[in-house]
Amino acid sequence: MADGLADRGLARDVVPDPLEPLPLLRRELHTGPAGLSSREAARRLAVYGPNEVRPAAKTGVLQELLRQLAHPLALLLWAAAALAFIAGIDVLGWAIVAVVLVNAAFALVQERQAEKAVETLARYLPAQARVIRDGQERHVPARDLVPGDLIVLEEGDRIAADARLTEGGIEADLSMLTGESTPVERLAGPGLKAVPVLQEPNLVFSGTSATEGQARAIVFATGDHTQLGRIAALSQRTRREPSPLEKQVKKVAWLIAAVAVAMSAVFLVTGVAVGLPLTDSMMFAIGLLVANVPEGLLPTITLALAVGVRVLARQGAVIKRLSAVETLGSTNVICTDKTGTLTRNEMRLNALWTPEHGTEPGPGSTALVRAAALCTTAAREPDGPWHGDPTEIALVDGAAQRAVPADPADRDAHRRACFRFDPRLRLMSVVQAADRGRLRVITKGAPEAVLPLLAGGEPTRRAQDAADTLAGAGMRVLAVAERDLPDGAGVPSGRQQAERDLHLLGLVGLYDPPRPEVAAAVERCHRAGLTVHIVTGDNGATAAAVARSVGIGVPHLRVIAQSEAIDDHELDHLLRLPGTEIVFARSSPETKLKVADALRAHGQIVAMTGDGVNDAPALHRAHIGVAMGRSGTDVAREASTMILTDDNFATIVTAIESGRRVYDNVRKFIVYIFAHLTPEVVPFLVFALSGGTVPLPLT
């Protein structure tokens, strides 16, 4: 079967160039406007496999248990148990064995519980996809999509595979791949080979979603060959390095072993020198060796970390590895994403501008808000939440907050025509029934698209300056205009007849507001000596506005508008600047890895947050990878060390504070262990040096 596909130009591991001319792409994929036949789709599914990203292989229970039993300190305890049996102290030997086994079982249960918490989080791919097969539209499981399938995309659909648009256009939310919260236009047409693949205007990608428009697209990559799969594979290949605690415990274990062996050897020689029988000297040397091994250290560390894990879980942070709790306590740099972590990931109507009153409220503000809410297609169930394009939901919510509620049933009842959003024109228009039976055209869209459609004498220059000011404050700006049709005029036959000679009502500024608790959390970070950098795919102006609003960048904020272009030398220089926090804008997965590596090279303990697939490699590379539990993808959660069930930056700060408390507890216990060894060893030395004249206080 595979040979047959190869004869027709298809091979399992070869992804066709999606930017070649559409007829060539269709010929290479052996498909057409009618899609594949059901039989051909079944054959390709057998060759390519299901359309899903294969997760990293899970560690088996036996392998994980052996890892716990071979811990450096556990090896020292095994040696102590063996020496106890040799010395005839069977009770102590069995007690040490029990300590090792209980500790390993306890640690195993803790980490397995964390893995189960991760596995129960939602999957990122849609369950169903609409596809053209045998010339007819049908619903099929998304995992059954194959290269060559023709899929149908509409507003609200989750995209199930990497595909090239063949007709129509959509606005796509690519935030899970790019980190940018603003939807982007995707249109059928030729590609631009000089830009990164994620910025190609005719491609859509697995796991993203369509927020506006209608289109058809031909699938060119599924499963591990998608952008989703590529970044997942990159993150899975990144090796996890031991945490600071694991390194320190390993050093302590060898230090204790060296001290215990040295003291035992000294005792053996001293005992023989002062006249003790050789067998007694050996027995006491072994006993001293056993006494110097802190069999309580490993279970105490595990218990302290386990308590920390449970406390953090109640506070909204799921820890996947026990040692990560202490790493949190050692963290001194946080690299955070913007969208959904610092902000709510909810667009809000934040500012209004009218030609008559500017940004001051006035009679025109009510008309502006009402018209913007009417020019939407967002819908909702009775007494339920709105659903649809996030921008339109922000408009109708903003209208309701300003006492101009938009009832979707009344809006649709008075609607005579709807020219849906066209990504090429960047416009949407509706024709609504107004007073006394007259019709009114309402248009909304990008200012640069709406302003040229205004009637002569309209304030286009002032409006463009106002739009630039709002955009500089980090807002997404829409212009809203209208036109009353003459009495008796019918519904315009097309959008060219409708969208002309418009009167500008004003501009609306939409903003993804910061979470209210983030500013206080950032202040706690600064008080604790933590540095906070923003690493985001969003634009620099928006990210800088959010940074300043929550206190990041005090006293100095640097904004790198195109962080992909920064080289290692410049990056090292920036990270060494004292008192400076940085916004890395327009970052790619490689940029995030570069930042994490640079910080590690400077000796920093790095916590990196993220929710998208593009974040996964950096999450793996950072000391602490922090993924989002609500909005994050499975690939990011798989790569992370800690998962925030509330997607909240403030939870990270709380987790770091908890980690520092755990670290203090572990340090106190280690100090106690070394302190109590002295009174244990001194009586042995006095007994040996006196030749047995001074008896042992305890046997």
Side-chain angles (χ1 to χ4, degrees):
M1 187 183 302
D3 291 340
L5 288 174
D7 292 340
R8 297 200 300 273
L10 284 169
R12 173 186 172 88
D13 296 322
V14 177
V15 177
D17 180 6
L19 300 179
E20 62 188 351
L22 189 58
L24 290 179
L25 180 62
R26 279 180 164 152
R27 189 155 57 243
E28 187 173 349
L29 290 171
H30 299 280
T31 187
L36 301 175
S37 68
S38 298
R39 292 193 302 276
E40 177 64 17
R43 284 193 290 268
R44 294 189 185 189
L45 183 62
V47 173
Y48 288 95
N51 174 37
E52 55 191 11
V53 176
R54 288 187 294 243
K58 295 288 185 182
T59 305
V61 176
L62 182 59
Q63 184 179 352
E64 183 67 25
L65 182 60
L66 289 175
R67 187 176 71 84
Q68 298 291 346
L69 295 175
H71 186 280
L73 199 53
L75 293 176
L76 191 56
L77 293 177
W78 285 119
L83 291 172
F85 286 122
I86 293 173
I89 315 173
D90 292 353
V91 173
L92 180 59
W94 286 116
I96 295 175
V97 169
V99 164
V100 175
L101 294 177
V102 169
N103 179 76
F106 195 67
L108 179 65
V109 169
Q110 286 294 320
E111 297 200 4
R112 285 288 162 176
Q113 282 181 345
E115 284 185 9
K116 287 182 180 178
V118 176
E119 291 168 358
T120 57
L121 297 169
R123 306 294 295 177
Y124 61 91
L125 279 178
Q128 297 284 321
R130 281 186 293 174
V131 63
I132 305 296
R133 285 190 181 167
D134 300 315
Q136 296 182 347
E137 182 179 325
R138 63 181 64 176
H139 286 80
V140 301
R143 69 189 307 274
D144 291 346
L145 287 182
V146 295
D149 262 329
L150 187 64
I151 57 176
V152 180
L153 303 174
E154 289 188 355
E155 177 182 326
D157 286 348
R158 200 78 178 261
I159 299 165
D162 287 6
R164 172 172 168 179
L165 299 188
T166 59
E167 58 182 274
I170 62 170
E171 273 204 347
D173 178 5
L174 305 185
S175 59
M176 65 172 293
L177 286 176
T178 66
E180 186 169 352
S181 57
T182 304
V184 295
E185 301 168 0
R186 289 294 183 258
L187 310 168
L192 303 174
K193 294 191 180 234
V195 301
V197 66
L198 292 178
Q199 296 178 21
E200 287 290 353
N202 60 2
L203 301 184
V204 292
F205 304 98
S206 174
T208 62
S209 57
T211 61
E212 282 275 8
Q214 295 175 316
R216 290 190 177 189
I218 184 171
V219 173
F220 64 85
T222 59
D224 292 336
H225 296 297
T226 62
Q227 289 294 309
L228 205 66
R230 182 185 69 84
I231 301 176
L234 176 62
S235 68
Q236 290 169 5
R237 285 196 296 268
T238 306
R239 285 189 62 187
R240 181 184 78 83
E241 295 186 1
S243 72
L245 178 66
E246 290 169 327
K247 294 178 180 178
Q248 291 167 8
V249 168
K250 186 175 182 179
K251 289 180 181 178
V252 167
W254 293 121
L255 175 63
I256 292 173
V259 170
V261 170
M263 291 188 66
S264 298
V266 169
F267 183 89
L268 180 62
V269 173
T270 303
V272 173
V274 298
L276 285 177
L278 179 61
T279 54
D280 290 346
S281 296
M282 289 186 62
M283 187 70 69
F284 279 115
I286 293 173
L288 186 61
L289 183 61
V290 173
N292 276 286
V293 175
E295 56 272 7
L297 176 59
L298 197 56
T300 301
I301 291 176
T302 303
L303 184 60
L305 296 178
V307 170
V309 166
R310 293 188 179 278
V311 169
L312 289 173
R314 288 196 295 269
Q315 295 171 339
V318 177
I319 303 293
K320 294 170 63 177
R321 282 198 320 272
L322 288 178
S323 60
V325 178
E326 183 275 338
T327 310
L328 275 169
S330 304
T331 299
N332 46 28
V333 177
I334 301 176
C335 293
T336 178
D337 196 7
K338 177 188 73 70
T339 305
T341 309
L342 298 177
T343 67
R344 296 175 179 269
N345 199 17
E346 299 173 0
M347 297 294 284
R348 299 284 180 86
L349 181 56
N350 192 63
L352 301 173
W353 179 91
T354 59
E356 297 82 10
H357 299 89
T359 55
E360 297 296 325
S365 301
T366 301
L368 170 62
V369 171
R370 179 182 292 110
L374 288 174
C375 191
T376 60
T377 56
R380 68 175 178 183
E381 301 296 329
D383 300 324
W386 290 90
H387 53 87
D389 178 37
T391 299
E392 294 194 344
I393 294 174
L395 292 175
V396 295
D397 280 343
Q401 291 170 6
R402 288 164 174 79
V404 193
D407 178 24
D410 183 68
R411 176 200 64 191
D412 295 344
H414 288 83
R415 181 166 294 174
R416 300 295 177 261
C418 177
F419 303 103
R420 297 180 70 89
F421 178 81
D422 188 328
R424 290 161 292 194
L425 302 175
R426 306 182 71 184
L427 294 171
M428 173 186 174
S429 297
V430 296
V431 180
Q432 296 286 132
D435 299 334
R436 297 185 298 277
R438 298 177 66 181
L439 298 180
R440 176 175 297 156
V441 176
I442 303 173
T443 299
K444 80 172 192 305
E448 56 269 28
V450 173
L451 296 182
L453 303 177
L454 300 181
E458 290 285 329
T460 55
R461 183 67 262 166
R462 287 175 50 224
Q464 188 60 59
D465 291 342
D468 292 341
T469 300
L470 294 176
M475 298 184 216
R476 186 184 188 192
V477 185
L478 297 177
V480 182
E482 67 176 12
R483 177 167 72 97
D484 287 328
L485 299 179
D487 290 337
V491 176
S493 58
R495 60 190 317 153
Q496 284 188 342
Q497 287 74 31
E499 296 167 344
R500 62 182 177 86
D501 299 326
L502 299 171
H503 166 65
L504 181 67
L505 292 174
L507 306 173
V508 294
L510 301 166
Y511 187 52
D512 183 8
R515 293 176 179 268
E517 61 275 13
V518 167
V522 170
E523 186 179 353
R524 284 158 56 199
C525 284
H526 291 161
R527 285 201 306 267
L530 289 161
T531 300
V532 183
H533 301 307
I534 297 179
V535 189
T536 177
D538 218 333
N539 69 74
T542 301
V546 171
R548 293 187 182 99
S549 67
V550 299
I552 294 175
V554 177
H556 304 297
L557 179 68
R558 291 288 298 270
V559 180
I560 309 302
Q562 294 293 333
S563 58
E564 287 189 47
I566 194 171
D567 59 30
D568 287 343
H569 177 73
E570 185 181 359
L571 180 59
D572 289 339
H573 172 70
L574 285 171
L575 294 176
R576 289 194 186 101
L577 293 176
T580 300
E581 294 178 326
I582 306 169
V583 172
F584 295 96
R586 300 298 187 195
S587 63
S588 66
E590 290 74 18
T591 307
K592 293 194 172 189
L593 268 177
K594 189 189 298 184
V595 171
D597 280 334
L599 288 167
R600 291 180 68 115
H602 294 173
Q604 307 292 335
I605 305 297
V606 186
M608 176 78 73
T609 76
D611 55 359
V613 172
N614 64 318
D615 299 319
L619 292 176
H620 231 309
R621 182 61 179 151
H623 293 95
I624 292 288
V626 184
M628 303 298 115
R630 290 182 179 176
S631 60
T633 63
D634 281 358
V635 175
R637 290 191 285 262
E638 182 70 31
S640 67
T641 312
M642 182 171 80
I643 298 169
L644 303 182
T645 59
D646 56 3
D647 292 11
N648 195 336
F649 177 84
T651 305
I652 304 171
V653 183
T654 302
I656 290 175
E657 292 170 343
S658 297
R660 291 187 174 184
R661 284 194 295 272
V662 170
Y663 179 81
D664 286 341
N665 290 337
V666 171
R667 184 178 59 183
K668 289 173 185 175
F669 186 75
I670 291 176
V671 171
Y672 161 74
I673 284 175
F674 281 106
H676 93 275
L677 287 180
T678 303
E680 282 191 11
V681 170
V682 168
F684 281 95
L685 294 177
V686 171
F687 173 79
L689 293 173
S690 67
T693 305
V694 179
L696 286 173
L698 295 173
T699 61

